[in-house]
Amino acid sequence: MGNAISAYVALKTAAQDNGGIAEGGSAADIPPRMLTAYKKAAQHVSKHVPKCQGMRWPILAGIAKVESNHAAGRNIAASGDIRPKIYGVLLNGSGAGGNTTVFPDTDGGRWDGTAQGERAVGPFQFLPATWSSVGQDAGGDKVADPHNADDAALGAAIYLCGDGRDLTKRAQLRSAIFQYNHSGEYVANVLGWVDQYTAAAKDPDLKNVSGKVRTVINAALAQRGVPYSWGGGNASGTSYGICCSPSGKSGTNIKGFDCSGLTTFAYAKAGIRLPRTAAAQAGVGQRIPASLGTRALKPGDLVFYAYAPGHDSTIYHVGIYVGNGQMINAPRPGTVVRLDAVSAMSGFAGGARLL
């Protein structure tokens, strides 16, 4: 059954909360203490699995995003202890949470708080039986605790490494994630997050970018972490937004940017006034057809997305290309300005070159 029996529920919850693959992701949506745990585990896993290659923090972040949304709603102490503790559903075959198999108790309730059966625990949703084989003390308190961010992240790294996988190879990475949960949908979702976190972890290479293009990109990059606000942002900077997005989300109480508000601001820094909406911005400058692909884009170009690519009236989103397949992006309500892969949004509709 794999390790995280409750992952199917987490996957469905993520989809309902716009947390699917197309959402993308960056370090900005990870609590700093959790990110520290992921990086520490990736660095130290070789001590436990010497033959393991290619373990990176975005891999651990992808798993934890789907399993617990990085321990969202919990307090993460400086020591890494997470409270309240995170428990999955009781795996007693009742059907709750999608489980139909009975898993007898193996830990006497030590980790999962009940001797009536098993349930997944912690930010990486380990079954106690699995934890007993991979759990390690990463924090120095001589206790391997799945409710501790450092211990849990290291345990997940060890589990994914197996007997010594090479996680730089996509097939082996897929196998590792499939071992974690035997679901093709789960694997695809985690890989999507791994790819987005990988893209976000790389600062764009601007050594060959200068002049107004650099001004635009630096202005946009400086807004990373600013919240998305529907209708928010203008040439002067952040602003409160309006009501309401197609999904019913209001920006009236959020000071930030939406996608075209961000581009309007960044280009204003270079002395270029843009229309306010993404569709209107597609009519400015030299249009780059979608048929030319993303390789035709250059740093500083606007990147567009449409419900019906080829019909600019259906353009719904815009970002700023920074090179290497990345863009500065204000994705949608509930997110922040961040670096994303150009492929993070659906309906690529080409670009526009203004500089």
Side-chain angles (χ1 to χ4, degrees), residues 5-343:
I5 305 299
S6 62
Y8 180 77
V9 178
L11 176 61
K12 291 302 182 185
T13 302
Q16 293 168 3
D17 292 338
N18 292 324
I21 295 171
E23 283 286 343
S26 74
D29 78 336
I30 304 174
R33 186 61 184 84
M34 293 300 291
L35 182 58
T36 296
Y38 305 155
K39 291 182 175 179
K40 181 179 178 182
Q43 181 180 359
H44 294 293
V45 69
S46 61
K47 296 179 181 178
H48 303 275
V49 190
K51 294 183 179 179
C52 184
Q53 299 181 54
M55 176 55 69
R56 301 172 287 118
W57 73 257
I59 297 174
L60 299 172
I63 295 285
K65 174 67 178 180
V66 175
E67 294 296 345
S68 69
N69 195 18
H70 308 300
R74 265 63 175 184
N75 178 64
I76 309 164
S79 65
D81 288 337
I82 298 170
R83 299 293 184 272
K85 296 178 180 180
I86 303 171
Y87 296 116
V89 298
L90 184 63
L91 301 173
N92 58 4
S94 67
N99 81 91
T100 58
T101 304
V102 176
F103 283 77
D105 176 66
T106 63
D107 68 333
R110 180 185 183 190
W111 300 123
D112 61 6
T114 178
Q116 302 303 310
E118 294 279 79
R119 55 181 178 175
V121 297
F124 284 88
Q125 288 292 275
F126 279 103
L127 290 179
T130 305
W131 182 251
S132 68
S133 65
V134 300
Q136 294 288 337
D137 169 31
D141 62 358
K142 299 182 180 180
V143 177
D145 184 353
H147 298 286
N148 176 277
D150 295 326
D151 295 356
L154 180 58
I158 292 170
Y159 189 70
L160 291 164
C161 279
D163 293 330
R165 289 189 177 97
D166 183 351
L167 299 176
T168 64
K169 297 180 179 178
R170 193 73 166 185
Q172 293 193 39
L173 177 57
R174 283 182 177 275
S175 295
I177 298 170
F178 187 77
Q179 173 186 302
Y180 212 95
N181 187 300
H182 295 179
S183 162
E185 188 177 13
Y186 177 88
V187 172
N189 194 34
V190 170
L191 280 174
W193 284 107
V194 172
D195 290 344
Q196 299 312 314
Y197 287 127
T198 298
K202 298 177 181 177
D203 283 330
D205 182 1
L206 302 180
K207 63 183 179 182
N208 295 320
V209 177
S210 60
K212 290 186 175 181
V213 172
R214 193 181 189 97
T215 298
V216 168
I217 292 177
N218 282 337
L221 284 173
Q223 307 310 308
R224 283 182 291 183
V226 172
Y228 182 100
S229 175
W230 177 261
N234 52 47
S236 299
T238 58
S239 70
Y240 289 99
I242 60 175
C243 187
C244 282
S245 73
S247 62
K249 302 295 177 65
S250 175
T252 55
N253 295 318
I254 302 173
K255 191 173 185 180
F257 291 105
D258 65 9
C259 64
S260 53
L262 177 65
T263 55
T264 296
F265 167 74
Y267 272 87
K269 290 296 185 181
I272 297 175
R273 180 174 293 275
L274 291 179
R276 185 55 181 80
T277 67
Q281 290 178 5
V284 179
Q286 176 190 347
R287 194 72 167 88
I288 303 168
S291 60
L292 296 180
T294 58
R295 291 185 179 182
L297 297 171
K298 293 183 178 181
D301 289 348
L302 294 175
V303 188
F304 300 108
Y305 300 84
Y307 295 115
H311 300 275
D312 283 359
S313 62
T314 70
I315 286 175
Y316 73 92
H317 192 77
V318 61
I320 301 175
Y321 189 67
V322 297
N324 296 320
Q326 293 179 283
M327 65 177 172
I328 309 166
N329 193 26
R332 55 180 59 76
T335 65
V336 296
V337 177
R338 64 199 190 192
L339 276 175
D340 271 336
V342 172
S343 59

